[in-house]
Amino acid sequence: VVEGVSKSIKRYTKLLLRRIDWNKTDGADDEADEQRFVVNKCVLVWQGAVEASSFKKFKMETCRTAAAAQRLLADAGVGHFWDILASSEWEGVSEIQ
């Protein structure tokens, strides 16, 4: 979830969708890494304007499980964002883990 003014959101979206190579490795090419290779990608699910921001300060959150992500969004009052994500389908992604 990204909130802010349109210029900042446009730049951040470009960074996430175009500039970052989500499948780039750290340079250590061994066979074990190749066997565990998972396709990473960033997908824009929804974009639009809302009346008031739901998050008061900038912070990065890492959720290790789908339940943790759902709880984080529900606590911020935007649990419906999770419903939008869960009902969306896009190429190459079969389910939310």
Side-chain angles (χ1 to χ4, degrees):
V1 176
V2 178
E3 295 180 329
V5 297
S6 62
K7 184 177 181 179
S8 298
I9 291 175
K10 183 178 179 180
R11 287 182 176 177
Y12 195 70
T13 302
K14 189 183 292 187
L15 172 70
L16 292 176
L17 296 178
R18 295 184 192 169
R19 292 179 51 205
I20 293 178
D21 181 6
W22 292 100
N23 293 311
K24 186 176 181 181
T25 59
D26 62 357
D29 290 27
D30 59 26
E31 292 179 22
D33 285 341
E34 290 179 13
Q35 291 174 356
R36 294 180 300 191
F37 183 74
V38 177
V39 175
N40 294 315
K41 71 189 316 184
C42 179
V43 179
L44 180 64
V45 177
W46 180 82
Q47 183 175 358
V50 295
E51 288 184 21
S53 63
S54 300
F55 300 93
K56 301 303 175 203
K57 61 181 181 176
F58 177 83
K59 63 181 177 177
M60 301 286 290
E61 292 283 343
T62 302
C63 298
R64 297 189 183 268
T65 64
Q70 188 174 14
R71 186 172 44 253
L72 176 72
L73 292 172
D75 290 347
V78 290
H80 58 281
F81 286 179
W82 183 261
D83 298 335
I84 293 170
L85 174 64
S87 66
S88 299
E89 294 182 21
W90 50 83
E91 184 178 330
V93 180
S94 58
E95 64 182 47
I96 301 169
Q97 299 175 349

